[in-house]
Amino acid sequence: MKAKTAFLFLLLSIQIYAQDKPRTEVKTVVDNFIQALNQKDTETLLKVMDRNIGFMTVFFDGTKSILAAESVEMFIDNIENTKPGTIEEQLLNYKITASEVLATVWSEYNFYVDGKLHHCGENAFQLYKSPKGWKIIQITDTRYNETTCNKTHTADKYERKASLIKFIDNWHLAASNGEIEAYFNALGDDAVYIGTDPDEYWTKSQFKEWAKSYFDEGKAWNFETIKRDIFFTDDEDIAWFNEKLNTSMGACHATGVAEYTRNGWKIKYYQLSVTVPNELLEQFIKLKKEVKISE
């Protein structure tokens, strides 16, 4: 039995590795592109790009957008005519979708000139798996004025995890302090919150409407974290976590999903569950059967 379990685990591990391998390879190519761009390494840039690559830029001033195209020759010429050390592009996050032969990478970025934030935007990379490896075939970017940019900076995995821990702690603290705007601003617009009652499956607006009376009293609820485990996708843009909480309902378990955006972390999903000790489970089930729950 142990041998069979180990074999199944091995197969699962191989499958997961096979699924993640293209995404990892694609991210490496994009990272090499950005590093070469910042170092004015045109030789590496030409290696990671297909010779038929296209460049498109959307300039947006807050009211209207203008689309501009650039050839690979113009792109390389602009890089070569830039003074060393004057430009730096930082990718803030990654959203990667990849099959065996085609991939897209979406990333928000900040662009610095002489150490000062010049503009920001989003990059959309398209790549294909050539006989010589992954090649970038299209780069489309948006550019926003510096005054509209959030001063977000690139964070390593330790900093990203630390910021998420602080974010979740502050989210729970906002409920304890009755700070309704701070609490619900931490939720994404499409967030889902599942409470302990069978009917508590809420969108953000529904949850806020239900919770308002509790926050109006100056204190909604108090969740004290006993234990928390956090896991990240490879691009560290999505995190899922589980918590054991000390609450007015006793010990509870919760599971959540958070996304890192230009405006910081946002809760996308959160489910709260009341725990029932095994020795009380039979009584709990009996009591639950006595209560009629509408479908």
Side-chain angles (χ1 to χ4, degrees):
M1 183 66 181
K2 289 182 178 180
K4 183 178 180 181
T5 302
F7 178 70
L8 290 174
F9 179 78
L10 177 61
L11 288 178
L12 179 61
S13 300
I14 293 172
Q15 183 180 16
I16 292 172
Y17 172 76
Q19 292 172 343
D20 286 345
K21 186 179 179 182
R23 297 173 72 252
T24 301
E25 293 175 343
V26 165
K27 182 178 182 295
T28 298
V29 172
V30 172
D31 286 342
N32 289 342
F33 173 87
I34 294 298
Q35 183 179 10
L37 173 69
N38 293 336
Q39 295 177 353
K40 292 187 56 180
D41 182 358
T42 54
E43 183 178 349
T44 298
L45 287 173
L46 290 170
K47 285 181 179 179
V48 299
M49 299 185 302
D50 184 80
R51 60 188 179 89
N52 295 313
I53 187 173
F55 295 88
M56 302 290 286
T57 297
V58 179
F59 295 91
F60 185 64
D61 63 3
T63 57
K64 62 180 180 179
S65 59
I66 299 174
L67 180 65
E70 185 178 30
S71 67
V72 64
E73 292 80 12
M74 293 171 60
F75 173 76
I76 293 297
D77 187 59
N78 287 334
I79 298 301
E80 290 178 336
N81 290 325
T82 302
K83 294 180 181 179
T86 58
I87 64 170
E88 181 185 7
E89 181 165 336
Q90 292 184 357
L91 301 187
L92 305 179
N93 45 43
Y94 301 81
K95 295 181 179 69
I96 304 173
T97 303
S99 68
E100 292 183 3
V101 294
L102 188 65
T104 61
V105 180
W106 176 280
S107 178
E108 295 175 305
Y109 74 91
N110 284 341
F111 194 89
Y112 298 85
V113 177
D114 293 326
K116 295 182 180 179
L117 183 63
H118 183 266
H119 65 269
C120 63
E122 299 96 11
N123 286 323
F125 297 88
Q126 277 196 319
L127 304 89
Y128 91 109
K129 186 69 172 288
S130 76
K132 295 182 179 180
W134 288 97
K135 298 285 186 180
I136 302 172
I137 57 177
Q138 175 69 40
I139 301 176
T140 304
D141 72 292
T142 57
R143 299 187 189 180
Y144 307 125
N145 189 283
E146 181 271 338
T147 57
T148 66
C149 297
N150 187 317
K151 304 301 189 295
T152 307
H153 66 283
T154 304
D156 62 30
K157 63 180 180 179
Y158 301 107
E159 184 179 353
R160 186 66 58 85
K161 184 175 182 179
S163 69
L164 178 57
I165 292 171
K166 184 177 181 180
F167 166 77
I168 300 171
D169 288 343
N170 287 340
W171 182 53
H172 289 322
L173 184 62
S176 298
N177 294 336
E179 299 169 352
I180 189 168
E181 295 305 322
Y183 185 85
F184 284 95
N185 283 341
L187 272 65
D189 292 336
D190 57 350
V192 170
Y193 189 101
I194 301 177
T196 56
D197 188 274
D199 293 327
E200 292 178 352
Y201 187 98
W202 291 309
T203 62
K204 178 179 178 178
S205 59
Q206 291 170 335
F207 183 31
K208 187 174 183 179
E209 182 180 358
W210 174 87
K212 187 177 183 304
S213 61
Y214 293 92
F215 279 90
D216 287 345
E217 295 176 2
K219 182 177 181 180
W221 47 81
N222 183 39
F223 289 174
E224 178 187 351
T225 303
I226 301 172
K227 180 183 178 183
R228 179 186 295 140
D229 297 310
I230 298 176
F231 311 90
F232 291 90
T233 55
D234 289 341
D235 47 33
E236 298 172 12
D237 194 32
I238 302 291
W240 61 99
F241 58 94
N242 55 68
E243 303 181 296
K244 185 176 182 181
L245 304 165
N246 183 23
T247 77
S248 61
M249 298 175 285
C252 287
H253 286 163
T255 302
V257 177
E259 179 181 20
Y260 190 77
T261 71
R262 179 170 288 278
N263 296 316
W265 287 104
K266 295 292 181 182
I267 299 289
K268 306 291 286 184
Y269 173 90
Y270 195 79
Q271 180 169 2
L272 181 68
S273 303
V274 174
T275 60
V276 180
N278 288 333
E279 58 269 23
L280 299 177
L281 189 59
E282 188 175 340
Q283 295 174 249
F284 173 78
I285 294 174
K286 182 180 179 181
L287 179 62
K288 190 174 181 181
K289 287 180 178 179
E290 294 174 356
V291 179
K292 292 184 179 179
I293 301 174
S294 59
E295 297 293 336

